[in-house]
Amino acid sequence: MKQHRFLYIVLCLLSSFTISSCGGKRYIKEIPYNYTSEEFSKKVQENKQESDAQYSVVDDNAQGLNDDTLKIKEKYSIIMEVMPKEIQDYKLYSYIDEWLGTPYKKQSLEKQKGVDASYFVQALFSDVYNETFSKTPDGIFRSKTLQLFTGRTFLKEGDIIFFRYDKFHPISDVGIYLHNDRILACSARGLNIYNFNDEYFQLRYVAAGRLKEKK
């Protein structure tokens, strides 16, 4: 009797082990893990390299600009609707930033109180570029340090733009070309950034001037 009982227990254990073993093999077979640790690491590394190859590393501040300059760069890239890398003349934008919105006032140069465009251009070029101009539009136009041209497609940051309002004043006013057909000029709305393509400016445009390279 005891022998029968012992044999029964042994058979039950063997049966249980067989079922467990089969289930375990099936479970292992169904696991979505097809790599050994070494193979898996190698595959991950290959995927990373393949992914990295699709992109280039970009240094947004390769020039080591300070925070204030980076803010100016970002701000005016948005205003000009260009990529930040297109904004190059940081001193120019930093200078005009404090003057924007200043009301127009003839023969004046007082921040946020009153400004005349020719007075402003004279001060800007003196402070930023160390160049001395007359305070009148005609005087700036006749400066020997400027290379004059008429083609609008050649305009770039910092070029001086000359306007004519009436036949008695061939050179009546000035502005500064910034970027992407945006100019700094003075109108009834004060010193601000305007669209150079506006009919008001296009009909009055005479020429532009760029500083000659110093020898």
Side-chain angles (χ1 to χ4, degrees):
M1 188 73 172
K2 289 182 179 181
Q3 290 179 344
H4 288 295
R5 186 176 181 184
F6 176 75
L7 182 61
Y8 175 76
I9 294 173
V10 170
L11 289 173
C12 287
L13 289 173
L14 288 173
S15 177
S16 176
F17 175 79
T18 301
I19 293 172
S20 175
S21 177
C22 292
K25 288 180 180 179
R26 184 171 63 253
Y27 171 74
I28 291 174
K29 186 178 180 180
E30 293 174 355
I31 291 179
Y33 182 84
N34 301 317
Y35 308 97
T36 64
S37 296
E38 184 177 352
E39 290 174 337
F40 181 74
S41 298
K42 183 178 180 181
K43 191 65 178 178
V44 169
Q45 186 63 27
E46 289 175 354
N47 290 340
K48 181 179 183 302
Q49 291 174 351
E50 183 179 342
S51 177
D52 291 345
Q54 299 177 26
Y55 304 94
S56 59
V57 178
V58 177
D59 186 350
D60 291 333
N61 191 18
Q63 297 171 293
L65 305 176
N66 60 41
D67 289 343
D68 290 337
T69 303
L70 286 173
K71 288 179 182 178
I72 287 291
K73 185 175 183 177
E74 182 178 0
K75 176 180 178 179
Y76 284 90
S77 69
I78 294 172
I79 294 175
M80 303 298 145
E81 298 180 350
V82 297
M83 296 296 290
K85 66 180 181 180
E86 301 294 329
I87 303 299
Q88 299 290 329
D89 198 338
Y90 313 125
K91 290 183 179 180
L92 169 65
Y93 293 103
S94 295
Y95 191 90
I96 70 175
D97 190 62
E98 299 179 357
W99 285 85
L100 289 182
T102 300
Y104 167 73
K105 188 176 182 181
K106 190 175 181 180
Q107 298 181 349
S108 297
L109 185 66
E110 194 170 359
K111 197 178 297 181
Q112 299 306 321
K113 290 189 177 182
V115 64
D116 187 308
S118 60
Y119 276 53
F120 177 78
V121 169
Q122 189 273 340
L124 185 153
F125 273 78
S126 176
D127 295 343
V128 176
Y129 304 110
N130 198 30
E131 291 290 345
T132 302
F133 288 142
S134 166
K135 289 185 178 180
T136 65
D138 181 68
I140 297 173
F141 182 80
R142 289 185 284 106
S143 174
K144 294 181 179 180
T145 61
L146 287 181
Q147 177 67 52
L148 299 175
F149 60 94
T150 57
R152 303 176 190 183
T153 57
F154 300 112
L155 288 166
K156 70 177 186 177
E157 284 179 342
D159 287 344
I160 301 175
I161 304 172
F162 298 96
F163 300 104
R164 178 181 180 176
Y165 292 154
D166 59 71
K167 62 181 180 180
F168 301 107
H169 300 90
I171 304 298
S172 310
D173 205 357
V174 294
I176 299 290
Y177 186 82
L178 298 176
H179 224 303
N180 196 26
D181 290 329
R182 302 295 191 274
I183 64 172
L184 181 76
C186 217
S187 71
R189 289 183 287 168
L191 187 71
N192 254 308
I193 294 173
Y194 300 93
N195 191 334
F196 187 43
N197 291 319
D198 285 350
E199 186 178 19
Y200 178 86
F201 296 111
Q202 290 294 302
L203 292 175
R204 293 165 175 78
Y205 173 73
V206 176
R210 180 176 304 161
L211 284 177
K212 295 177 180 178
E213 292 186 7
K214 294 182 179 180
K215 297 180 180 180

